[in-house]
Structures are given as C-alpha cells and as structure tokens.
C-alpha cells in the first residue's frame, strides 16, 4: 500500500468527486497519482471513470442544455447512464447479477471473478437467470450514436422510460461505447413458470373464446342457484380485478361442466361447440395437477363441478375425487358450524353452502355407485341451509324458488342418509332383524320430510307441478328415486305386515309398479326447456334401477317368452327405453345414456327373439324351454340385468 502522501484525491473532496462505480457502491474512493483507476475499482476489478465536474453529476441538465447539448456533454453523461437508466419491464427484478460478466465479455474481455456488493446497481450480466422476462441485445453500430443521444436526453427526464444500457470501454478497450437494449426473451404470449393446471386452462379458454363471459353468466344463471358452490359477487369481482388468483382447475371444471348445457344452446348458435370429451380431459388434468400441488377450498368446488359433470363416465375416478374433497373439507373445518366464528358473513355462508353441496353429492353418489358414503352425520354440526345463507339480500323471484328447492333437496338427502346406513350395515349380529326395525324409521322420516315442505317445493314433490322452477325436475327425479328405493327395501320388512306372504308380495309388486309408472310419466312429459335444466349426474342411475326392477318382476311372474313380452312390467320398461331414446335424439339429453347402454340391447333382443308374429299366440313354449338352462346363455341374454355396470363402463 502506498503512503498517504501518494494519495492524489483527498477524502470527501468536492473539487475531486468520487468515481461513478464508487458512487454506486457507496464506498470510499481513493486514487494513486500514477494510476488511472481508484483503489476500490482495482480491488473489484471494475471499470473506473470520473465525471468531469461535480455539477455535471449532481444537477440535472436544463431544458435548454438538453436541446443545445454538445457531443462533449453526451460523452460526460454516458458514464452515468449505466447506473441511472433502467428498463421499466425489469424494475420488479431488484436482484442484479455480477457486473464482471457484462464488462468482461461485452467491454474488456477479461474474466472478473469477484462480484460487487449486492447494493450496487451494476448492469445485468450474461448469467441472468432463466426466469427473467427480458434479455440484453446489442445495438447495431449504425444506430449507436442515435440511441446514445436519446438515452442522454431521457436520463434527465423524471419518469421517462429507459430503453437502453451503456457499457463504457476500459482503458485498453474500444474507443466507442457499446450499447445494449432490453428485448423480450420469450415468444409473445408465453409466460414463464405457468403451472400445469394454468396451461390446461389456457387451452380450454382458447377453444371457447370469445364466449367465456357468456358461459360464466350461464353458469350462475342456471347452475349455481341450484347447487351453490360460488359466491357470485366475490367471484365476479376477482375475475375482473385479479383473474390470475382464481384457481385454474376451478375455471377449467366450470367450463367443462357447462359443455353439456351450452352445447345445444342458442348461446353459441353462431359457432360449433368443441368436443366436450376433449375439454373434460383437459379439465381432469388441471384438477389432478392442482389437487397434488395446492389443494384448498377452491379445489372442493372444482371437484364437485367435476364429479357432477355430465355424462358420468368414471365411477372409480369420481369416488377418488369425492374422497379427496371430503378429506380436504375435514382438514379445513367445513364440517363445523362457522356462525360463531370471527370471519365475514359471506365466508360463513359460503362454507355452509359448500359443505351441504358436498353432503348431497356424497350421499346420492353412494346410492348410484353402490358404495358406502364418506360423510358421517354424527361428525358435523353445520346448520342446515336457509334462504339467508343461499341468497343475497333483497333477492326475489327465481332466486328464492331455486333456494327453496335446494333446501328441500338437502332434507331429502338426510332421509337418504338414514337409508344408506340401513343398506350398508354389515356389522349387525342379526341383520334381518335390524332391517325390519329400521325400515319403518326410514318411511317415517320420508313422510315427515314430505309433510314439512311448503311453497314451490311442495308443489314439485307432492303434486308434480312447478317443474319449470330451477332445479325442480332434478328434485322430482330424486324424490321418485327415493320412493323406488323404499319399495326395494320394504320386502325385507314385509314379515311384520299382516296377511299371507303371497298377498304381501303382490302388494309390494304393485306399489313398486306404480312408482315405476310415475318415473315413466314424469320422463315422458319433460319438454326441451326442462331437459336443459340442472340435473345431478348421479340421477341418471334411477333409470337403469327402474328397468331392473321391472324386468326382474316380469321374469319372476311370467313363464313364457310371449307372456314376458306382453306383461305390463316389460311394456313399461320398453316404453321407458323408447322415451329415453327419443329425448337423446331430439334434445341430446344424456341422463338416459347409462340405462340405454345397459338395457337398450336387452329389450331389443327379447323382442327380436319372440318376433312380432308370435305376440298374439297363446300356447307357447315355457320360458325354460325357450332359454336353455345354461347360466352362460342366460348371462348373454340379460348381461346388464345381473351386472348393471359392465355395459356402461
């Protein structure tokens, strides 16, 4: 180290200002008489350059000097431009990589192993991380002088955009500065570090543009009032102000859920609807990705939209998703009463609504899929839904009607929950005695629920009217499904009834036949508007259950193929199949797809085997003569009857 006498520049000297790099580092600048660089720049091995005067570095140039500035002023300001100019697109990136790579490669060409302090504002180096949105690109020599003049001018304008960076040569470098500009690194529209679910959502939205807003409007108008999963006001506000914060899987499943409702709608009459199965596959991938990475409350709503989507094509997949949703709901405490919590009222209501929507989906899926439910009534104390929880203030008309129907559906689901406990009980020592004891309780709960209904819900359930209300047809079908379930489990308790067994069997049969006829008449009278209304996907399983019930009694009570075809049970089953086919062809209604897949061919085979010319023949072979006593042959004739799911999945 040299002596103090050799120091050319005194500390804190205003006549001899510090060099530009020391100013950026906020470090002490000391120079030696025989050296062109200060001690700190030597230590850091950086390019050392000084302003010509204190005034030039402290004062911004006036408008006159900016207009009449000389080339000498431009050269003086070039040195400060590297520290003063910044690209507006990179202001959020506060971290700067080492300046040595930029200086060494772009200006001097020598390696610089030592990095400056973190608070220095050195230009970006070549080793910039890949997550940066911008990259450096050299300005051509022909445009360098023009860019320098513009850069010098913008350096003195507060708030002006900075578009270039300047690297000055060292003492042994080029005689002219080298300019760089910031350019977009990635292709236009390609964002960095997008999640897999966001990428799938982007594809779905590109397929559905420009109808995204109309699809969301249709969802809230038609679906959310019948199965409340989202708070419309907060969702729309977030969609408008902070769309990227919305769960991508939630939006993806919402779009896929609406595919069946908008495919034949006038909403998109001016264009063809994309393939619904392709959209569903993308939504499934987005959902499973987010379920793995970041599950939360929004993922529960996404799962319910996914599982409730039509047509239902994956029993095991839906069961896995529902189990995940119930597990997440328990983890987030949705099974607890939130009314006493110190949270906003809207959040309380949303937690209650999501829980009961999950409860409804779990119970009816259990009945349709033949698996025990996942939610236990004794492990939750959430208050039942009310109009206050479901509807915003000052709601009226259609919204209130939809809320009353959803409340009635929740009450019916509670009755179903009692029935499921009866059906899936396998630990009772005397199962038959348990079933005989619990069946009257189910019937009592069912009748109490029906008697408690008021308003539009009572008209839908008891009288079969007001079916144009949102969700009314779905409630009516669920009610008939529950009635048919009671007829299927009542024979187990028939020993407690009076009368001989034969009379009790005939009574049970005719009561079940009456319910099946109600299902047929209800389906036959549906018109296009009702067919396009909200339907739970699991409600489709009431039709194969009804046809199974009818064919079973036709086989048990008839002894010949002709009498089988002419029986009232078989005729009802045949007519129901014809109605489902008609709705499928005319309106694209998919609620009968499961039944058509399982039993459509069965009905046709029986009719073809008998032949129309033999329908009126009274003396026919016995059924055991018509069908060989071979289990394999019997299974071939009635495959869906004995294994109701093998033809559908």
């Amino acid at each position: 180290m040299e002596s103090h006498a050799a120091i050319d520049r005194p500390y804190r000297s205003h006549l001899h200002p510090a060099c530009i790099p020391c100013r950026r580092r906020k470090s002490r600048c000391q120079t030696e008489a025989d050296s062109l660089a200060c001690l700190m720049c030597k230590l850091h091995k950086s390019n050392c350059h000084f302003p010509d005067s204190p005034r030039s570095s402290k004062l911004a140039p006036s408008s006159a000097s900016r207009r009449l500035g000389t080339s000498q002023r431009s050269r003086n300001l070039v040195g400060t431009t590297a520290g003063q100019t910044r690209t507006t697109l990179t202001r959020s990136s506060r971290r700067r990589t080492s300046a040595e790579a930029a200086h060494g490669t772009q200006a001097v060409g020598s390696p610089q192993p030592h990095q400056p302090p973190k608070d220095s504002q050195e230009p970006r180096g070549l080793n910039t991380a890949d997550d940066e949105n911008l990259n450096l690109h050299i300005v051509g020599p022909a445009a360098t002088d023009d860019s320098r003049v513009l850069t010098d001018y913008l350096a003195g304008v507060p708030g002006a955009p900075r578009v270039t960076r300047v690297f000055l040569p060292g003492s042994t470098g080029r005689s002219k500065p080298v300019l760089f500009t910031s350019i977009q690194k990635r292709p236009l529209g390609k964002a960095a570090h997008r999640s897999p679910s966001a990428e799938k959502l982007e594809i779905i939205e590109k397929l559905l543009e420009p109808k995204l807003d109309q699809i969301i409007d249709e969802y809230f108008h038609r679906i959310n009032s019948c199965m409340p999963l989202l708070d419309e006001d907060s969702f729309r506000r977030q969609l408008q102000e902070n769309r990227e914060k919305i769960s991508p899987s939630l939006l993806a499943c919402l779009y896929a859920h609406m595919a069946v409702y908008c495919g034949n709608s006038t909403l998109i009459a001016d264009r063809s609807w994309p393939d619904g199965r392709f959209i569903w596959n993308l939504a499934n991938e987005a959902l499973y990705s987010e379920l793995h990475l970041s599950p939360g409350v929004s993922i529960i709503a996404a799962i319910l939209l996914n599982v409730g989507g039509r047509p239902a094509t994956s029993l095991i997949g839906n069961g896995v998703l529902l189990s995940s949703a119930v597990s997440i709901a328990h983890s987030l405490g949705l099974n607890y009463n939130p009314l006493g919590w110190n949270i906003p009222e809207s959040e309380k209501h949303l937690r209650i609504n999501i829980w009961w929507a999950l409860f409804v989906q779990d119970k009816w899926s259990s009945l349709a899929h033949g698996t025990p439910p996942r939610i236990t009534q004794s492990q939750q104390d959430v208050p039942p839904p009310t109009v206050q929880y479901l509807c915003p203030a000052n709601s009226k008309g259609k919204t209130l009607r939809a809320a009353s129907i959803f409340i009635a559906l929740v009450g019916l689901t509670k009755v179903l929950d009692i029935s499921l406990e009866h059906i899936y009980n396998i630990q009772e020592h005397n199962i038959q005695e348990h079933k005989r004891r619990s069946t009257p309780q189910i019937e009592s709960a069912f009748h109490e629920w029906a008697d408690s209904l008021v308003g539009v819900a009572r008209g839908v359930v008891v009288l079969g009217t007001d079916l144009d209300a949102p969700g009314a047809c779905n409630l009516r079908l669920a009610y008939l499904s529950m009635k048919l379930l009671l007829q299927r489990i009542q024979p187990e308790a028939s020993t407690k009834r009076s009368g001989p067994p034969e009379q009790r069997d005939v009574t049970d049969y005719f009561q079940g036949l009456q319910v099946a006829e109600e299902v047929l008449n209800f389906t036959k009278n549906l018109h296009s508007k009702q067919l396009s209304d909200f339907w739970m996907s699991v409600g489709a399983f009431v039709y194969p259950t009804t046809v199974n019930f009818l064919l079973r009694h036709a086989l048990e009570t008839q002894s010949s193929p002709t009498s089988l075809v002419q029986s009232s049970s078989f005729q009802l089953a045949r007519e129901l199949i014809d109605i489902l086919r008609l709705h499928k062809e005319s309106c694209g209604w998919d609620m009968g797809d499961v039944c058509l897949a399982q039993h459509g061919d069965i009905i046709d085979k029986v009719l073809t085997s008998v032949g129309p010319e033999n329908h009126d023949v009274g003396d026919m072979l016995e059924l055991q003569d018509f069908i060989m006593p071979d289990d394999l042959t019997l299974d071939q004739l009635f495959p869906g009857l004995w294994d109701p799911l093998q033809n559908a999945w």
Side-chain angles (χ1 to χ4, degrees):
M1 182 66 66
E2 299 290 340
S3 63
H4 291 285
I7 301 300
D8 180 70
R9 177 192 171 276
Y11 178 57
R12 294 186 182 277
S13 172
H14 294 284
L15 297 178
H16 302 279
C19 68
I20 299 299
C22 284
R23 286 187 176 189
R24 299 194 195 108
R25 289 190 292 261
K26 295 181 175 62
S27 60
R28 183 174 179 178
C29 184
Q30 294 180 339
T31 60
E32 297 177 348
D34 56 348
S35 176
L36 297 178
C38 70
L39 296 179
M40 292 301 294
C41 287
K42 282 186 175 182
L43 178 64
H44 291 291
K45 297 183 180 181
S46 59
N47 187 18
C48 183
H49 50 278
F50 293 86
D52 284 354
S53 67
R55 182 177 299 272
S56 64
S57 61
K58 292 182 179 179
L59 299 180
S62 63
S63 59
S65 64
R66 288 195 299 268
R67 291 192 301 268
L68 303 176
T70 62
S71 60
Q72 179 64 36
R73 177 178 295 276
S74 299
R75 287 192 295 271
N76 292 341
L77 289 177
V78 166
T80 62
T81 304
Q84 292 175 348
T85 59
R86 295 183 184 179
T87 306
T88 55
L89 294 177
T90 58
R91 288 178 180 175
S92 61
S93 178
R94 303 297 301 174
R95 296 178 301 172
R96 291 292 182 263
T97 56
S98 62
E100 297 76 42
H103 282 285
T105 306
Q106 307 294 344
V108 180
S110 58
Q112 307 292 342
H114 186 76
Q115 294 184 355
K118 292 184 179 180
D119 59 351
S120 66
Q121 298 179 358
E122 296 293 340
R124 186 206 312 266
L126 292 182
N127 57 340
T128 303
D130 289 337
D131 59 353
E132 294 289 347
N133 293 327
L134 300 177
N135 206 351
L136 293 179
H137 191 278
I138 193 169
V139 177
T144 300
D145 292 336
D146 298 337
S147 299
R148 283 174 51 198
V149 174
L150 178 61
T151 300
D152 295 343
Y153 176 81
L154 294 177
V157 180
R162 317 302 190 207
V163 295
T164 58
R165 294 179 181 273
V166 181
F167 298 118
L168 293 177
S171 58
T172 60
R174 298 185 183 92
S175 60
K176 295 180 62 177
V178 178
L179 271 68
F180 287 84
T181 185
S182 297
I183 62 172
Q184 186 73 27
K185 179 182 292 187
R186 295 176 178 82
L188 185 63
K190 186 67 174 179
H193 296 302
R194 292 183 64 89
S195 64
S197 57
E199 292 178 354
K200 304 303 178 183
L201 172 63
E202 185 178 9
I203 297 175
I204 294 176
E205 290 184 334
K206 289 299 180 183
L207 290 173
L208 300 181
E209 286 180 347
K211 299 295 184 179
L212 300 179
D213 293 337
Q214 293 91 325
I215 294 173
I216 292 176
D217 292 341
E218 192 76 4
Y219 168 76
F220 282 106
H221 174 73
R222 184 182 297 187
I223 307 301
N224 197 65
S225 58
C226 302
M227 186 65 67
L229 298 175
L230 303 174
D231 180 74
E232 183 174 1
D233 293 337
S234 62
F235 181 84
R236 289 187 181 276
R237 182 169 56 253
Q238 191 174 21
L239 190 67
Q240 182 178 4
E241 299 175 358
N242 206 1
R243 187 186 184 96
E244 64 275 5
K245 296 297 183 181
I246 299 179
S247 164
S249 66
L250 175 60
L251 278 176
C253 290
L254 187 152
Y255 294 135
H257 187 92
M258 292 303 297
V260 70
Y261 294 97
C262 298
N264 298 321
S265 173
T266 56
L267 176 69
I268 54 169
D270 58 334
R271 58 169 291 178
S272 59
W273 185 263
D275 179 48
R277 181 47 47 195
F278 180 70
I279 295 179
W280 266 121
N281 290 336
L282 291 174
N284 288 336
E285 293 178 16
L287 178 60
Y288 278 105
S289 174
E290 190 168 324
L291 181 63
H292 169 66
L293 295 175
S294 57
V297 175
S298 59
I299 204 70
I300 300 177
I303 289 175
L304 291 176
L305 288 172
N306 187 287
V307 173
R310 294 166 32 206
T313 57
S314 176
L315 265 68
I316 296 179
N318 289 345
V320 171
L321 288 176
L322 267 179
S323 300
S324 301
V326 173
S327 177
I328 297 172
H330 286 154
S331 300
L332 298 176
L334 292 183
N335 57 318
Y336 288 95
N337 183 358
L339 295 180
W341 296 3
N342 187 21
I343 57 177
E345 290 296 320
S346 59
E347 183 177 346
K348 295 178 183 179
H349 299 167
L350 186 61
R351 292 176 68 93
I352 293 174
N353 296 342
I354 291 179
W355 171 258
W356 286 114
L358 181 61
F359 179 84
V360 169
Q361 188 68 51
D362 176 56
K363 302 304 178 181
W364 289 103
S365 297
S366 173
L367 176 64
H369 299 170
T371 56
R374 302 155 187 84
I375 296 177
T376 303
Q377 186 72 13
S378 61
Q379 296 176 355
Q380 64 94 15
D381 63 348
V382 182
T386 63
V387 174
Q388 177 186 0
Y389 305 154
L390 296 171
C391 303
N394 303 324
S395 297
K396 56 183 179 180
K398 182 179 179 180
T399 304
L400 294 178
R401 297 170 69 192
S404 64
I405 290 176
F406 178 73
I407 293 171
L409 179 62
V410 171
L412 179 61
T413 307
K414 291 182 179 180
V415 179
L416 174 63
D417 189 26
I418 302 175
S419 305
L420 296 176
E421 184 179 354
H422 163 88
I423 294 172
Y424 294 113
N425 191 329
I426 59 176
Q427 292 186 346
E428 189 74 22
H429 295 293
N430 191 338
I431 296 179
Q432 294 298 327
E433 180 61 27
H434 168 73
K435 291 182 177 180
R436 285 193 296 268
R437 186 174 62 253
S438 60
T439 302
Q441 298 177 358
I442 300 173
E443 294 179 350
S444 176
F446 180 68
H447 294 307
E448 288 179 3
W449 166 80
D451 293 338
S452 66
L453 298 176
V454 294
V456 63
R458 184 172 184 83
V460 171
V461 170
V462 179
L463 304 177
T465 58
D466 297 324
L467 294 181
D468 288 335
C473 292
N474 178 74
L475 176 62
R476 179 70 179 174
L477 185 62
Y479 166 73
L480 296 176
S481 177
M482 188 66 205
K483 286 185 66 175
L484 185 62
L485 176 63
L486 287 175
Q487 295 302 320
R488 294 168 63 192
I489 64 178
Q490 274 180 349
E492 299 172 353
S494 61
T495 56
K496 297 187 66 175
R497 302 179 186 177
S498 57
E502 295 80 5
Q503 183 179 353
R504 292 196 299 268
D505 293 341
V506 172
T507 302
D508 294 335
Y509 162 67
F510 279 109
Q511 289 179 349
L513 194 65
Q514 184 179 6
V515 176
E517 193 169 0
E518 287 186 61
V519 174
L520 172 63
N521 292 331
F522 163 74
T523 308
K524 182 190 300 184
N525 295 326
L526 291 174
H527 54 74
S528 59
K529 181 180 178 181
Q530 295 168 344
L531 293 173
S532 62
D533 195 14
F534 166 77
W535 298 89
M536 288 194 304
S537 60
V538 291
F541 289 87
V542 68
Y543 292 113
T545 300
T546 303
V547 174
N548 269 342
F549 181 84
L550 293 171
L551 292 181
R552 169 192 172 185
H553 285 284
L555 290 171
E556 289 179 347
T557 56
Q558 305 302 322
S559 58
S560 67
T562 301
S563 60
L564 172 68
V565 171
Q566 294 178 348
S567 65
S568 58
S569 298
F570 188 88
Q571 291 298 323
L572 286 175
R574 176 187 179 183
E575 188 175 359
L576 182 57
I577 292 292
D578 293 339
I579 291 298
L580 294 177
R581 284 173 174 166
L582 178 62
H583 288 332
K584 177 70 174 179
E585 294 172 359
S586 61
C587 299
W589 198 53
D590 59 352
M591 291 291 288
D593 287 355
V594 178
C595 184
L596 293 176
Q598 293 180 6
H599 300 104
D601 291 341
I602 294 176
I603 300 296
D604 295 339
K605 287 179 181 179
V606 172
L607 292 175
T608 302
S609 62
V610 175
E613 67 279 0
N614 296 329
H615 286 182
D616 297 331
V617 179
D619 188 13
M620 292 292 297
L621 295 175
E622 297 295 329
L623 184 61
Q624 56 268 24
D625 296 331
F626 176 73
I627 303 175
M628 292 184 296
D630 185 354
D631 292 339
L632 179 60
T633 306
L634 194 63
D635 288 340
Q636 291 176 352
L637 183 61
F638 299 105
L641 183 61
W642 316 123
D643 189 0
L645 299 180
Q646 70 177 9
N647 286 349
W649 313 107

